[in-house]
Structure formats: C-alpha cells, structure tokens
Amino acid sequence: MEDANAARDTESNTEKLIDRYCAVWSQPDAAERERLLGEVWAERATYTDPTVHTDTPQALLAHIAGVHAQYPGMRVERTSRVDCHHGLARFHWRAVPADGVSLPEGVDFVRLSADGERLLSVAGFFGPLSRR
Amino acid sequence: MEDANAARDTESNTEKLIDRYCAVWSQPDAAERERLLGEVWAERATYTDPTVHTDTPQALLAHIAGVHAQYPGMRVERTSRVDCHHGLARFHWRAVPADGVSLPEGVDFVRLSADGERLLSVAGFFGPLSRR
C-alpha cells in the first residue's frame, strides 16, 4: 500500500511539474516565461524536438519566443495523463493557437532530476507514429 | 534534396539498428542473445521499463532471460515506423508469446550513439497513454 501511495505521489508531483513546464510554453510574456522556466529547468537541461536542439535555457527561451511570434497567443495543453517510472515520464500535448485550431499532437519524453523537482531533458516528437 | 536523402538514410539505418535490437529480445538462445546484444549495445548503455532498470548488458540479458522463462518462444515485433531526429528515436512494439496472443503494445524511446551505430539508452513504456 505504501508503495502504491508513493507511486501515486510521484505521479502527482510529476504531473504538476509537467503542467508548470507546459505553462512556460503557454506564457505570452517573455520575462515571465524566463522566470517560470527557471523554476522547473535543471542546470544544463536539454530540449530537443524535430525542429531544434537546445542545451541552454536561453536557447530554449529564444525558440519558444519564435513559436509565439509565429502563433501569437498560442498555448500548450497536456492531453494525456503523465506516465512515469524510474525518473522517466511521457505525456501527450497539443499546441493550440489563438484561433483555437489545434496543431498536430505531440509526445514528450522527459527525464527528471534525482529529486524529481526539475526537468533534466525533454525530447519531443510530433504527430502520430504511423504503423509500419 | 541531399538533406532529405541524408534524413532518409539515417531513418533507414536506425530502423535496421532497432530491428537488430528487437531480434535480441526475440532470440530464444541466451548465448546468441548475448552475441547479438554486443553488436548493438553501447558501453554503459541503460535499459529501463516499468519493471526494471539495468545499467549493464549482463543485467539486461538476465532480465530478457526472465521474460523468456515466463513466455517461452516469445518474440518482440516492431509495429510502427521508426521516428528519429537528433540522435533520438521512438517506435512502437509488441511482445508476441508463442501462443500468438499479443501482450499490450509498448513504446520505446531511444538515444543513439554519436555514430548512430549503437543504442545508448532505451526507455520503454507499456500500453496506451490514457487521455487526461
């Protein structure tokens, strides 16, 4: 029972961390994005998706700023539960532009810091994964 | 065009590497599994799924041996294309026991060695990811 409770706590904490990370992406103000990212991002954390690889928070913030420039008012919403084990997690998300028409859904694969409080790396993939 | 060709080559090479990795899991003979794993597994590579975390090839081979003991004649089949970028990849797979009744599908997230020839880490998740 204690193990099950601990696993639930971990999942709940990780879910909150992921939602704070998604809030960084959804935040229209650049200074506020930087503040929010600083609370969830581990030193030397990396972000990688099909369009970019960054290994500094500044580079990630510049990338997010570019996405906001292209899609003003866009938000990122988590669309699945957060599935985590051994300090690893996966979740689905979608980017919703201000006009409400969703971009293709993506999945992020995440590594957590040892204390579970920050993100060590985020690797994103876009769209569904087609059958072979 | 050259970039597109290079991307296709990478995807094709990574697909072959992933299939050789799945063949390790499908191989019933322990000595042959060890030989095949040695060809695709980077030094100090890690394997993690909801049931186990291993950081040596010996520990992974022992884990696979346990799965074969539980499901004699089982095979692991890749069920999606391999989606890769920046030395990262994802693919779906399923474990098929000898009686042909598939276990729940999983997804593996993979990091590749710099030369793309070996696996640096494999992180597996089981089953579909439920909506929030």
Side-chain angles (χ1 to χ4, degrees), chain A residues 8-85:
Chain A
R8 267 198 303 277
D9 285 354
T10 301
E11 196 144 286
S12 168
N13 285 344
T14 303
E15 205 165 90
K16 283 176 195 153
L17 178 64
I18 296 297
D19 287 345
R20 289 162 65 206
Y21 168 71
C22 290
V24 174
W25 280 83
S26 302
Q27 170 57 240
D29 182 75
E32 183 63 6
R33 275 200 301 270
E34 181 168 0
R35 191 184 69 77
L36 293 173
L37 186 67
E39 293 179 348
V40 299
W41 207 240
E43 218 183 333
R44 283 190 280 220
T46 61
Y47 172 86
T48 315
D49 75 24
T51 70
V52 72
H53 173 75
T54 74
D55 55 10
T56 65
Q58 291 73 24
L60 173 55
L61 289 164
H63 173 69
I64 299 175
V67 175
H68 274 272
Q70 193 175 357
Y71 301 104
M74 77 88 153
R75 290 169 294 115
V76 168
E77 296 176 352
R78 178 167 60 84
T79 55
S80 74
R81 73 182 181 87
V82 175
D83 182 16
C84 60
H85 66 81

Coordinates of all heavy atoms in Angstrom, one line a residue, chain A residues 8-85:
Chain A
R8 N 1.8 6.9 -6.5 CA 0.8 7.9 -6.8 C 1.3 9.3 -6.6 O 1.1 10.3 -7.3 CB -0.5 7.7 -6.1 CG -1.5 6.8 -6.8 CD -2.9 7.0 -6.3 NE -3.0 6.6 -4.9 CZ -3.1 5.4 -4.4 NH1 -3.1 4.4 -5.3 NH2 -3.1 5.1 -3.1
D9 N 2.0 9.5 -5.4 CA 2.5 10.8 -5.1 C 3.5 11.3 -6.2 O 3.5 12.4 -6.6 CB 3.3 10.8 -3.7 CG 2.3 10.7 -2.6 OD1 1.1 10.9 -2.8 OD2 2.7 10.5 -1.4
T10 N 4.4 10.3 -6.6 CA 5.4 10.7 -7.6 C 4.7 11.1 -8.9 O 5.0 12.1 -9.5 CB 6.3 9.4 -7.9 OG1 6.9 9.1 -6.7 CG2 7.3 9.7 -8.9
E11 N 3.6 10.3 -9.2 CA 2.9 10.7 -10.5 C 2.3 12.0 -10.4 O 2.3 12.8 -11.3 CB 1.9 9.6 -10.8 CG 1.4 9.6 -12.2 CD 1.2 8.2 -12.8 OE1 2.1 7.5 -13.1 OE2 0.0 7.8 -12.9
S12 N 1.7 12.3 -9.2 CA 1.0 13.6 -9.0 C 2.0 14.7 -9.0 O 1.8 15.8 -9.6 CB 0.3 13.5 -7.7 OG -0.2 14.8 -7.3
N13 N 3.2 14.5 -8.4 CA 4.2 15.6 -8.4 C 4.7 15.8 -9.8 O 4.9 17.0 -10.2 CB 5.4 15.2 -7.4 CG 5.0 15.3 -6.0 OD1 4.0 16.0 -5.6 ND2 5.8 14.7 -5.1
T14 N 4.9 14.7 -10.5 CA 5.5 14.9 -11.9 C 4.4 15.5 -12.8 O 4.8 16.4 -13.6 CB 5.9 13.5 -12.4 OG1 6.8 12.9 -11.5 CG2 6.5 13.6 -13.8
E15 N 3.2 15.2 -12.5 CA 2.1 15.9 -13.3 C 2.1 17.4 -13.1 O 2.0 18.1 -14.0 CB 0.8 15.3 -12.9 CG -0.3 15.3 -13.9 CD -1.5 14.4 -13.5 OE1 -2.4 14.9 -12.8 OE2 -1.4 13.2 -13.9
K16 N 2.3 17.8 -11.8 CA 2.3 19.2 -11.5 C 3.5 19.9 -12.2 O 3.5 21.0 -12.7 CB 2.4 19.4 -10.0 CG 1.0 19.2 -9.3 CD 1.2 19.4 -7.8 CE -0.1 18.8 -7.1 NZ 0.2 18.3 -5.7
L17 N 4.7 19.2 -12.2 CA 5.9 19.7 -12.8 C 5.7 19.9 -14.3 O 6.1 20.9 -14.9 CB 7.1 18.8 -12.5 CG 8.4 19.1 -13.1 CD1 8.9 20.5 -12.5 CD2 9.4 18.0 -12.9
I18 N 5.1 18.8 -14.9 CA 4.9 18.9 -16.4 C 3.9 20.0 -16.7 O 4.1 20.8 -17.7 CB 4.3 17.6 -16.8 CG1 5.3 16.4 -16.6 CG2 3.8 17.6 -18.3 CD1 6.5 16.5 -17.4
D19 N 2.9 20.2 -15.9 CA 1.9 21.3 -16.1 C 2.6 22.7 -16.0 O 2.3 23.6 -16.7 CB 0.7 21.2 -15.2 CG -0.2 20.0 -15.7 OD1 0.0 19.5 -16.8 OD2 -1.1 19.6 -14.9
R20 N 3.5 22.8 -15.0 CA 4.3 24.1 -14.9 C 5.1 24.3 -16.1 O 5.3 25.4 -16.6 CB 5.1 24.1 -13.6 CG 4.2 24.2 -12.4 CD 4.9 23.8 -11.1 NE 6.0 24.6 -10.8 CZ 7.1 24.3 -10.1 NH1 7.2 23.0 -9.7 NH2 8.0 25.1 -9.8
Y21 N 5.7 23.2 -16.6 CA 6.5 23.3 -17.9 C 5.6 23.7 -19.1 O 6.0 24.6 -19.8 CB 7.2 21.9 -18.1 CG 7.8 21.8 -19.5 CD1 9.0 22.5 -19.8 CD2 7.3 21.0 -20.4 CE1 9.5 22.5 -21.1 CE2 7.8 20.9 -21.7 CZ 8.9 21.6 -22.0 OH 9.5 21.5 -23.3
C22 N 4.5 23.1 -19.2 CA 3.6 23.5 -20.3 C 3.2 25.0 -20.1 O 3.0 25.7 -21.1 CB 2.3 22.6 -20.3 SG 2.7 20.9 -20.8
A23 N 3.0 25.4 -18.9 CA 2.7 26.8 -18.6 C 3.8 27.8 -19.1 O 3.5 28.9 -19.5 CB 2.4 27.1 -17.2
V24 N 5.0 27.3 -19.1 CA 6.1 28.1 -19.7 C 5.8 28.4 -21.2 O 5.9 29.5 -21.6 CB 7.5 27.4 -19.5 CG1 8.6 28.2 -20.2 CG2 7.8 27.2 -18.1
W25 N 5.5 27.3 -21.9 CA 5.2 27.4 -23.3 C 4.0 28.3 -23.6 O 3.9 28.9 -24.6 CB 5.0 26.0 -23.9 CG 6.3 25.3 -24.2 CD1 7.0 24.6 -23.3 CD2 6.9 25.3 -25.5 NE1 8.1 24.1 -24.0 CE2 8.1 24.5 -25.3 CE3 6.7 25.8 -26.7 CZ2 9.0 24.2 -26.3 CZ3 7.6 25.5 -27.7 CH2 8.7 24.7 -27.5
S26 N 3.0 28.3 -22.7 CA 1.8 29.0 -22.9 C 1.8 30.5 -22.5 O 0.9 31.2 -22.8 CB 0.6 28.3 -22.1 OG 0.5 27.0 -22.4
Q27 N 2.9 30.8 -21.8 CA 3.0 32.2 -21.3 C 3.4 33.2 -22.4 O 4.5 33.0 -23.0 CB 4.1 32.2 -20.2 CG 4.5 33.5 -19.7 CD 3.3 34.4 -19.1 OE1 3.1 35.5 -19.6 NE2 2.6 33.9 -18.2
P28 N 2.6 34.2 -22.6 CA 2.9 35.1 -23.7 C 4.0 36.1 -23.4 O 4.7 36.6 -24.3 CB 1.6 35.9 -24.0 CG 0.8 35.8 -22.7 CD 1.2 34.5 -22.1
D29 N 4.3 36.4 -22.1 CA 5.3 37.4 -21.7 C 6.7 36.7 -21.6 O 6.9 35.8 -20.8 CB 4.9 38.0 -20.4 CG 5.9 39.1 -20.0 OD1 5.8 40.2 -20.6 OD2 6.7 38.9 -19.1
A30 N 7.7 37.3 -22.3 CA 9.0 36.6 -22.4 C 9.7 36.6 -21.0 O 10.3 35.6 -20.6 CB 9.9 37.4 -23.4
A31 N 9.6 37.7 -20.3 CA 10.2 37.8 -19.0 C 9.6 36.8 -18.0 O 10.3 36.1 -17.2 CB 10.1 39.2 -18.4
E32 N 8.3 36.7 -18.1 CA 7.6 35.7 -17.2 C 7.9 34.3 -17.6 O 8.1 33.4 -16.7 CB 6.1 36.0 -17.3 CG 5.2 35.1 -16.4 CD 5.4 35.3 -14.9 OE1 6.2 36.2 -14.5 OE2 4.9 34.6 -14.1
R33 N 8.0 34.0 -18.9 CA 8.5 32.7 -19.4 C 9.8 32.3 -18.8 O 10.0 31.2 -18.3 CB 8.6 32.7 -20.9 CG 7.3 32.4 -21.6 CD 7.6 31.8 -23.0 NE 8.3 32.8 -23.9 CZ 7.8 33.7 -24.6 NH1 6.5 33.9 -24.7 NH2 8.5 34.5 -25.4
E34 N 10.8 33.3 -18.8 CA 12.1 33.0 -18.2 C 12.0 32.7 -16.7 O 12.7 31.8 -16.3 CB 13.0 34.2 -18.5 CG 14.4 34.0 -18.0 CD 15.4 35.1 -18.4 OE1 15.0 36.0 -19.2 OE2 16.6 35.0 -18.1
R35 N 11.2 33.5 -16.0 CA 11.0 33.2 -14.6 C 10.5 31.8 -14.3 O 11.0 31.0 -13.5 CB 10.1 34.3 -14.0 CG 10.1 34.3 -12.4 CD 9.1 35.2 -11.9 NE 7.7 34.8 -12.1 CZ 7.0 33.9 -11.4 NH1 7.7 33.2 -10.5 NH2 5.8 33.6 -11.7
L36 N 9.4 31.5 -15.1 CA 8.7 30.2 -14.9 C 9.7 29.0 -15.3 O 9.7 28.0 -14.6 CB 7.4 30.1 -15.7 CG 6.3 31.1 -15.3 CD1 5.2 31.0 -16.3 CD2 5.8 30.7 -13.9
L37 N 10.4 29.2 -16.4 CA 11.3 28.1 -16.8 C 12.4 27.9 -15.7 O 12.8 26.7 -15.5 CB 12.0 28.5 -18.2 CG 12.8 27.3 -18.7 CD1 12.0 26.1 -19.1 CD2 13.7 27.8 -19.9
G38 N 12.9 29.0 -15.2 CA 13.9 28.9 -14.1 C 13.5 28.0 -12.9 O 14.3 27.4 -12.2
E39 N 12.2 27.9 -12.7 CA 11.7 27.1 -11.6 C 11.6 25.6 -11.9 O 11.4 24.8 -11.0 CB 10.3 27.6 -11.2 CG 10.3 29.0 -10.6 CD 8.9 29.5 -10.2 OE1 7.9 28.9 -10.6 OE2 8.9 30.6 -9.5
V40 N 11.6 25.2 -13.2 CA 11.4 23.8 -13.5 C 12.5 23.2 -14.3 O 12.6 22.0 -14.5 CB 10.1 23.6 -14.3 CG1 8.9 24.1 -13.5 CG2 10.2 24.3 -15.7
W41 N 13.5 24.0 -14.7 CA 14.5 23.6 -15.6 C 15.8 23.3 -14.9 O 16.3 24.2 -14.1 CB 14.7 24.7 -16.7 CG 15.2 24.2 -18.0 CD1 16.4 24.6 -18.6 CD2 14.6 23.3 -18.9 NE1 16.5 24.0 -19.8 CE2 15.4 23.2 -20.1 CE3 13.3 22.6 -18.9 CZ2 15.0 22.4 -21.1 CZ3 13.0 21.8 -19.9 CH2 13.8 21.7 -21.1
A42 N 16.4 22.1 -15.0 CA 17.6 21.8 -14.3 C 18.8 22.5 -15.1 O 18.7 22.8 -16.3 CB 17.9 20.3 -14.3
E43 N 19.8 22.7 -14.3 CA 21.0 23.3 -14.9 C 21.5 22.3 -16.0 O 21.5 21.1 -15.8 CB 22.1 23.4 -13.8 CG 23.0 24.6 -13.9 CD 24.1 24.5 -12.9 OE1 23.9 23.9 -11.8 OE2 25.2 25.1 -13.1
R44 N 21.8 22.9 -17.2 CA 22.3 22.1 -18.3 C 21.3 21.1 -18.9 O 21.6 20.1 -19.5 CB 23.6 21.3 -17.9 CG 24.8 22.2 -17.9 CD 26.0 21.4 -17.8 NE 26.3 21.0 -16.5 CZ 27.5 21.0 -15.9 NH1 28.5 21.3 -16.6 NH2 27.6 20.6 -14.6
A45 N 20.0 21.4 -18.6 CA 18.9 20.6 -19.2 C 18.9 20.8 -20.7 O 19.3 21.9 -21.2 CB 17.6 20.9 -18.5
T46 N 18.5 19.8 -21.4 CA 18.4 20.0 -22.9 C 16.9 19.8 -23.3 O 16.1 19.2 -22.7 CB 19.2 18.9 -23.6 OG1 18.7 17.6 -23.3 CG2 20.7 18.9 -23.2
Y47 N 16.6 20.5 -24.4 CA 15.3 20.4 -25.1 C 15.6 20.1 -26.5 O 16.4 20.7 -27.2 CB 14.5 21.7 -25.0 CG 13.3 21.7 -25.8 CD1 12.1 21.1 -25.3 CD2 13.3 22.1 -27.2 CE1 11.0 21.0 -26.1 CE2 12.1 22.0 -28.0 CZ 11.0 21.4 -27.4 OH 9.9 21.3 -28.2
T48 N 14.9 19.1 -27.0 CA 15.1 18.6 -28.4 C 13.7 18.3 -29.0 O 12.9 17.5 -28.4 CB 16.0 17.4 -28.5 OG1 17.1 17.6 -27.6 CG2 16.4 17.1 -29.9
D49 N 13.4 18.8 -30.2 CA 12.3 18.4 -30.9 C 12.7 18.3 -32.4 O 13.9 18.6 -32.7 CB 11.0 19.2 -30.6 CG 11.0 20.6 -31.3 OD1 11.7 20.8 -32.3 OD2 10.3 21.5 -30.8
P50 N 11.8 17.9 -33.3 CA 12.3 17.7 -34.7 C 12.9 18.9 -35.3 O 13.7 18.8 -36.2 CB 11.0 17.2 -35.4 CG 10.2 16.5 -34.4 CD 10.5 17.3 -33.1
T51 N 12.5 20.1 -34.8 CA 13.0 21.4 -35.4 C 14.2 22.0 -34.7 O 14.8 22.9 -35.3 CB 11.9 22.4 -35.3 OG1 11.6 22.9 -34.0 CG2 10.6 21.9 -35.9
V52 N 14.6 21.5 -33.5 CA 15.6 22.3 -32.7 C 16.2 21.4 -31.7 O 15.6 20.5 -31.1 CB 15.0 23.5 -32.1 CG1 14.0 23.2 -30.9 CG2 16.0 24.5 -31.6
H53 N 17.5 21.7 -31.4 CA 18.1 21.1 -30.2 C 18.7 22.2 -29.4 O 19.5 23.0 -29.9 CB 19.2 20.1 -30.5 CG 20.0 19.6 -29.3 ND1 19.5 18.7 -28.4 CD2 21.2 19.9 -28.9 CE1 20.3 18.5 -27.5 NE2 21.4 19.2 -27.7
T54 N 18.4 22.4 -28.1 CA 19.0 23.4 -27.3 C 19.6 22.8 -26.0 O 19.1 21.9 -25.5 CB 17.9 24.5 -26.8 OG1 17.1 23.9 -25.8 CG2 17.0 24.9 -28.0
D55 N 20.7 23.4 -25.6 CA 21.3 23.0 -24.4 C 21.6 24.1 -23.4 O 22.4 23.9 -22.4 CB 22.6 22.2 -24.6 CG 23.6 22.9 -25.5 OD1 23.4 24.1 -25.7 OD2 24.6 22.3 -25.9
T56 N 20.9 25.2 -23.6 CA 20.8 26.3 -22.6 C 19.4 26.8 -22.4 O 18.6 26.7 -23.4 CB 21.7 27.5 -22.9 OG1 21.1 28.1 -24.1 CG2 23.2 27.1 -23.3
P57 N 19.0 27.3 -21.2 CA 17.7 27.8 -21.1 C 17.5 29.0 -22.1 O 16.4 29.2 -22.6 CB 17.6 28.3 -19.6 CG 18.9 28.0 -19.0 CD 19.8 27.2 -20.0
Q58 N 18.5 29.8 -22.3 CA 18.4 31.0 -23.2 C 18.0 30.5 -24.6 O 17.2 31.1 -25.2 CB 19.7 31.7 -23.2 CG 20.1 32.5 -21.9 CD 20.5 31.6 -20.8 OE1 21.0 30.5 -21.1 NE2 20.4 32.0 -19.6
A59 N 18.7 29.4 -25.1 CA 18.3 29.0 -26.4 C 16.9 28.4 -26.5 O 16.2 28.6 -27.5 CB 19.3 27.9 -26.8
L60 N 16.5 27.7 -25.4 CA 15.1 27.2 -25.4 C 14.1 28.4 -25.4 O 13.1 28.4 -26.1 CB 14.9 26.3 -24.2 CG 13.4 25.9 -24.0 CD1 12.8 25.2 -25.2 CD2 13.3 24.9 -22.8
L61 N 14.4 29.4 -24.5 CA 13.5 30.6 -24.5 C 13.5 31.3 -25.8 O 12.4 31.8 -26.2 CB 14.0 31.5 -23.4 CG 13.8 31.0 -21.9 CD1 14.6 31.8 -20.9 CD2 12.3 31.0 -21.6
A62 N 14.6 31.4 -26.5 CA 14.6 32.0 -27.8 C 13.7 31.2 -28.8 O 13.0 31.8 -29.6 CB 16.0 32.1 -28.4
H63 N 13.8 29.9 -28.7 CA 13.0 29.0 -29.6 C 11.5 29.2 -29.3 O 10.7 29.4 -30.2 CB 13.4 27.6 -29.4 CG 12.5 26.6 -30.1 ND1 12.5 26.5 -31.5 CD2 11.5 25.7 -29.6 CE1 11.6 25.6 -31.8 NE2 11.0 25.2 -30.7
I64 N 11.1 29.2 -28.0 CA 9.7 29.4 -27.6 C 9.3 30.8 -28.1 O 8.1 31.0 -28.6 CB 9.5 29.2 -26.1 CG1 9.9 27.8 -25.7 CG2 8.1 29.5 -25.7 CD1 9.9 27.6 -24.1
A65 N 10.1 31.8 -27.9 CA 9.8 33.2 -28.4 C 9.4 33.1 -29.9 O 8.5 33.8 -30.4 CB 10.9 34.1 -28.1
G66 N 10.2 32.4 -30.7 CA 10.0 32.2 -32.1 C 8.6 31.6 -32.4 O 7.9 32.0 -33.3
V67 N 8.3 30.6 -31.6 CA 7.0 29.9 -31.8 C 5.8 30.9 -31.5 O 4.8 31.0 -32.2 CB 6.9 28.7 -30.9 CG1 5.5 28.0 -31.0 CG2 7.9 27.6 -31.3
H68 N 6.0 31.7 -30.4 CA 5.0 32.7 -30.1 C 4.9 33.8 -31.2 O 3.8 34.3 -31.4 CB 5.3 33.3 -28.7 CG 4.7 32.5 -27.6 ND1 3.4 32.7 -27.1 CD2 5.2 31.5 -26.9 CE1 3.2 31.8 -26.1 NE2 4.2 31.1 -26.0
A69 N 6.0 34.1 -31.8 CA 6.0 35.1 -32.8 C 5.2 34.6 -34.0 O 4.5 35.3 -34.7 CB 7.4 35.5 -33.3
Q70 N 5.3 33.3 -34.3 CA 4.6 32.6 -35.4 C 3.1 32.4 -35.0 O 2.3 32.5 -35.9 CB 5.3 31.3 -35.7 CG 4.9 30.7 -37.1 CD 5.6 29.5 -37.4 OE1 6.6 29.1 -36.7 NE2 5.3 28.9 -38.5
Y71 N 2.8 32.1 -33.8 CA 1.5 31.8 -33.4 C 1.1 32.6 -32.1 O 1.1 32.0 -31.0 CB 1.3 30.3 -33.0 CG 1.7 29.3 -34.2 CD1 2.9 28.6 -34.2 CD2 0.7 29.1 -35.2 CE1 3.2 27.8 -35.2 CE2 1.0 28.3 -36.2 CZ 2.2 27.6 -36.2 OH 2.5 26.7 -37.3
P72 N 0.9 33.9 -32.3 CA 0.6 34.7 -31.1 C -0.6 34.2 -30.3 O -1.6 33.8 -30.9 CB 0.3 36.1 -31.8 CG 0.9 36.0 -33.1 CD 0.8 34.6 -33.6
G73 N -0.4 34.2 -29.0 CA -1.5 33.7 -28.2 C -1.6 32.2 -28.1 O -2.6 31.7 -27.5
M74 N -0.6 31.5 -28.6 CA -0.7 30.0 -28.6 C -0.5 29.5 -27.1 O 0.1 30.1 -26.3 CB 0.3 29.4 -29.5 CG 1.7 29.4 -29.0 SD 2.0 27.9 -28.0 CE 3.7 27.7 -28.3
R75 N -1.2 28.4 -26.9 CA -1.0 27.7 -25.6 C -0.6 26.2 -25.9 O -0.9 25.7 -26.9 CB -2.3 27.7 -24.8 CG -2.8 29.0 -24.3 CD -4.2 29.0 -23.8 NE -5.1 28.7 -24.8 CZ -5.9 27.6 -25.0 NH1 -5.8 26.7 -24.1 NH2 -6.7 27.5 -26.0
V76 N 0.1 25.6 -24.9 CA 0.4 24.2 -24.9 C -0.4 23.5 -23.8 O -0.3 23.9 -22.7 CB 1.9 23.9 -24.8 CG1 2.1 22.4 -24.6 CG2 2.6 24.4 -26.0
E77 N -1.2 22.5 -24.2 CA -2.0 21.8 -23.3 C -1.6 20.3 -23.2 O -1.4 19.7 -24.2 CB -3.5 21.8 -23.7 CG -4.1 23.2 -23.8 CD -5.5 23.2 -24.3 OE1 -6.0 22.1 -24.8 OE2 -6.2 24.2 -24.3
R78 N -1.5 19.8 -22.0 CA -1.3 18.4 -21.8 C -2.6 17.7 -22.1 O -3.6 18.1 -21.6 CB -0.8 18.1 -20.4 CG -0.6 16.6 -20.0 CD 0.1 16.5 -18.7 NE -0.6 17.0 -17.6 CZ -1.6 16.4 -16.9 NH1 -2.0 15.2 -17.3 NH2 -2.2 17.0 -15.9
T79 N -2.5 16.6 -22.9 CA -3.7 15.9 -23.4 C -3.8 14.5 -22.9 O -4.8 13.8 -23.2 CB -3.8 15.9 -24.9 OG1 -2.7 15.3 -25.4 CG2 -4.0 17.3 -25.4
S80 N -2.8 14.1 -22.1 CA -2.9 12.7 -21.6 C -2.5 12.8 -20.1 O -2.0 13.8 -19.6 CB -1.9 11.8 -22.3 OG -0.6 12.1 -21.9
R81 N -2.7 11.7 -19.4 CA -2.1 11.6 -18.1 C -0.6 11.5 -18.2 O -0.1 11.3 -19.4 CB -2.6 10.4 -17.3 CG -2.1 9.1 -17.8 CD -2.7 7.9 -16.9 NE -2.2 6.6 -17.4 CZ -1.1 6.1 -16.9 NH1 -0.4 6.7 -16.0 NH2 -0.7 4.9 -17.4
V82 N 0.2 11.7 -17.2 CA 1.6 11.6 -17.2 C 2.0 10.2 -16.7 O 1.6 9.8 -15.6 CB 2.3 12.7 -16.3 CG1 3.8 12.5 -16.2 CG2 2.0 14.1 -16.8
D83 N 2.7 9.5 -17.6 CA 3.0 8.1 -17.3 C 4.5 8.1 -16.9 O 5.4 8.5 -17.7 CB 2.8 7.3 -18.6 CG 3.2 5.8 -18.4 OD1 3.3 5.3 -17.2 OD2 3.3 5.1 -19.4
C84 N 4.8 7.8 -15.6 CA 6.2 7.9 -15.2 C 6.7 6.7 -14.4 O 5.9 6.0 -13.8 CB 6.5 9.2 -14.4 SG 5.5 9.4 -12.9
H85 N 8.0 6.4 -14.6 CA 8.7 5.3 -13.8 C 10.1 5.6 -13.9 O 10.6 6.1 -14.9 CB 8.3 3.9 -14.4 CG 8.8 3.7 -15.8 ND1 10.1 3.3 -16.0 CD2 8.2 3.7 -17.0 CE1 10.3 3.1 -17.3 NE2 9.2 3.4 -17.9

